[in-house]
Amino acid sequence: MMQKILIFKGPDKKFDEKVENEIAKLPKELERYSLGDLIKQLDTKDVNITMSQQKQNKDVLNKKPEKDIVIVHNSDFTSVNPHVILNFVNGIINRFVIQYLYIQNPPFRIEKSLISKYGNIISKYGNMVIDKNYNYHKPNAKSVLKYYKELQDSKIVFGQEEAKKQTCIGLFKQVYQIAQKSKPLVLLYYGPSGVGKTELAKNISSLYKGNLTRIQFSMMQTEDAVKYVFGSDNTHPSMARDLLARESNVVLIDEFDKVSPTFYNVFYQMFDEGKFKDALYRVNLENCIFILTSNFDNTDEIIQRVGMPIFSRIDIKIQFELLTVQQKRKVIKSTFRKVIKQLLPKDRTIIKSSNLQNLYLEHADDFNNIRMLNKIIENDIYHYLMNEKLKE
């Protein structure tokens, strides 16, 4: 008899922790099984009962294999045929005697059928079906203020002081009002490439105690992109499934300006109410931080490209500027220090005695893409070092 069903919505690591904590309270002799184990056994002759056998022998029909604990991970749904999703309860679960079922991020159809089938039965015996959303970390106002001061003092994203401040104002406002509303915060970063937009977005996730979920819209140029955004069958990647498994409430939608405007429709309810659904999944995105990066030059260009419905749903539009010559020189010095620190003492001396750093400082104004500048400096240092070694 089913004792408990745990429907968990959240990241893999937290699901595993939750399951281990639950199982630790159960008798040690209970055995664990996966969805793959169930399907594999159903494929064997002794379990795959035909309709004629069912009519002839009720005892065979009623004798179901016993499974103490069944654990179904989010990833398990990607490797099964779509008909398994359509008939998950009657076709799989009902054909076994399961005591404890733990399931992560199930498609909505599965969640609904489990609750419909077992909810009343389990409640009758003093237990209940649990639909548990993972509680993502919520910083308080004091934490945001501390984070802003750290941003000012650190070398994370050179320059862009106004962008940092506007970002933290948005974060501060959301955490200050978090008890009053659950609407997501939507930030749009715009400006030239390579000036720190993505870097700042990644750093913000540290405040929310987990890696951000990154969705690359520059890749959304094919038919697979439609399936990813709007949903398809369970064998295809999907934005909803990625959002369900997110580690933190920070979601980076990179290069928001590179996608077809037809995709913007999916964000109306997401940005307004913190809800998203596709062909298979339902996702709760309350209190999320959505950071949209783009290469727009100004707000007029933003409106023309994304349209007023999306523009009006963006809480703060934050412009990133090209760095000044002085800021670029700081980046150059910082990169040289970082790379030289990784070298052996003798090799450090070789690079420090070269004229490489001075050459970069003299031509600092020639560089606008800071991300590329860092890579170029690193390559030049090793190029110079290898040539010196060859001379030896």
Side-chain angles (χ1 to χ4, degrees):
M1 180 183 72
M2 188 81 77
Q3 298 292 319
K4 185 173 186 178
I5 298 176
L6 171 64
I7 300 174
F8 180 91
K9 296 179 183 178
D12 298 347
K13 182 179 178 182
K14 298 302 178 181
F15 173 67
D16 290 337
E17 290 177 2
K18 180 67 178 176
V19 170
E20 291 304 320
N21 289 336
E22 291 274 338
I23 292 178
K25 304 170 187 175
L26 303 178
K28 293 184 178 179
E29 62 269 18
L30 298 183
E31 295 186 22
R32 307 184 187 192
Y33 299 88
S34 68
L35 177 60
D37 293 331
L38 303 191
I39 294 174
K40 185 177 181 180
Q41 189 166 349
L42 285 174
D43 288 338
T44 60
K45 292 181 180 179
D46 60 327
V47 179
N48 193 14
I49 305 169
T50 64
M51 290 299 294
S52 60
Q53 287 175 316
Q54 292 177 15
K55 293 177 180 178
Q56 294 172 8
N57 193 339
K58 291 184 179 180
D59 292 333
V60 173
L61 175 62
N62 293 330
K63 188 176 181 180
K64 300 177 182 179
E66 295 184 4
K67 304 297 178 186
D68 300 325
I69 301 170
V70 175
I71 304 171
V72 184
H73 285 86
N74 173 51
S75 57
D76 293 339
F77 296 116
T78 65
S79 57
V80 299
N81 291 325
H83 72 78
V84 172
I85 305 296
L86 296 175
N87 199 27
F88 183 79
V89 173
N90 292 327
I92 305 291
I93 301 301
N94 273 359
R95 298 177 71 176
F96 296 90
V97 178
I98 300 171
Q99 292 191 59
Y100 300 92
L101 175 63
Y102 303 100
I103 183 168
Q104 179 200 15
N105 299 342
F108 181 72
R109 185 187 182 101
I110 290 178
E111 177 186 355
K112 187 177 179 180
S113 60
L114 281 171
I115 294 174
S116 174
K117 186 77 175 181
Y118 294 104
N120 293 332
I121 299 173
I122 292 178
S123 297
K124 181 179 178 181
Y125 292 95
N127 292 306
M128 59 186 295
V129 173
I130 298 177
D131 179 3
K132 182 173 179 59
N133 288 289
Y134 172 61
N135 292 320
Y136 291 94
H137 177 74
K138 300 174 185 177
N140 54 33
K142 186 177 179 180
S143 299
V144 175
L145 294 174
K146 181 181 177 182
Y147 174 71
Y148 176 56
K149 290 181 179 179
E150 291 173 353
L151 269 184
Q152 289 180 304
D153 298 335
S154 73
K155 295 175 182 176
I156 301 291
V157 186
F158 276 92
Q160 312 301 345
E161 299 307 320
E162 185 60 24
K164 295 176 188 175
K165 185 174 183 179
Q166 289 299 318
T167 295
C168 289
I169 288 172
L171 300 179
F172 180 78
K173 177 184 175 183
Q174 191 197 43
V175 300
Y176 201 88
Q177 297 179 339
I178 206 164
Q180 304 165 19
K181 64 177 184 177
S182 55
K183 180 184 178 296
L185 171 68
V186 185
L187 307 176
L188 174 67
Y189 290 172
Y190 69 98
S193 298
V195 293
K197 297 189 292 292
T198 301
E199 185 182 357
L200 181 57
K202 288 180 178 178
N203 188 263
I204 289 170
S205 65
S206 63
L207 179 64
Y208 290 79
K209 309 296 183 186
N211 294 324
L212 57 72
T213 294
R214 185 175 183 178
I215 298 171
Q216 286 277 67
F217 262 26
S218 59
M219 308 297 289
M220 305 291 176
Q221 308 296 332
T222 65
E223 183 180 342
D224 286 337
V226 177
K227 294 178 180 178
Y228 177 78
V229 173
F230 294 99
S232 179
D233 63 53
N234 55 290
T235 63
H236 287 87
S238 80
M239 184 167 70
R241 191 161 63 222
D242 288 344
L243 291 172
L244 270 173
R246 67 191 186 279
E247 291 184 19
S248 73
N249 258 347
V250 182
V251 178
L252 170 63
I253 303 180
D254 224 352
E255 303 198 78
F256 195 67
D257 54 326
K258 301 296 191 297
V259 73
S260 168
T262 57
F263 288 130
Y264 293 144
N265 297 338
V266 303
F267 296 104
Y268 293 165
Q269 188 179 24
M270 188 186 297
F271 291 166
D272 278 341
E273 304 172 23
K275 296 177 182 178
F276 177 61
K277 61 181 180 180
D278 69 2
L280 288 178
Y281 295 96
R282 304 291 186 272
V283 191
N284 181 356
L285 295 162
E286 293 180 353
N287 300 313
C288 264
I289 314 296
F290 288 101
I291 302 176
L292 323 175
T293 67
S294 67
N295 296 132
F296 294 122
D297 292 325
N298 52 62
T299 54
D300 288 339
E301 188 179 344
I302 298 170
I303 295 172
Q304 184 178 0
R305 174 64 176 172
V306 307
M308 187 55 72
I310 286 292
F311 184 84
S312 63
R313 285 171 168 82
I314 299 170
D315 295 294
I316 309 179
K317 294 84 177 174
I318 300 173
Q319 185 172 17
F320 280 64
E321 305 279 359
L322 288 172
L323 298 190
T324 64
V325 175
Q326 192 61 33
Q327 288 169 338
K328 292 175 186 177
R329 286 173 179 161
K330 286 183 179 180
V331 172
I332 290 169
K333 290 178 181 179
S334 175
T335 303
F336 266 91
R337 282 195 299 270
K338 181 180 177 181
V339 178
I340 289 173
K341 189 177 180 179
Q342 300 169 355
L343 303 178
L344 296 172
K346 181 181 177 181
D347 296 334
R348 292 176 193 167
T349 303
I350 293 174
I351 299 302
K352 287 179 179 179
S353 62
S354 72
N355 197 39
L356 266 181
Q357 181 170 308
N358 289 334
L359 283 172
Y360 272 95
L361 292 174
E362 289 174 13
H363 297 277
D365 201 31
D366 295 342
F367 301 96
N368 287 324
N369 191 311
I370 304 305
R371 182 170 57 246
M372 290 180 61
L373 173 60
N374 290 331
K375 293 178 180 179
I376 293 170
I377 290 174
E378 186 175 16
N379 289 337
D380 272 2
I381 288 175
Y382 282 99
H383 185 192
Y384 183 91
L385 186 59
M386 181 173 171
N387 283 340
E388 292 301 307
K389 295 287 185 180
L390 289 172
K391 290 177 183 178
E392 293 176 8

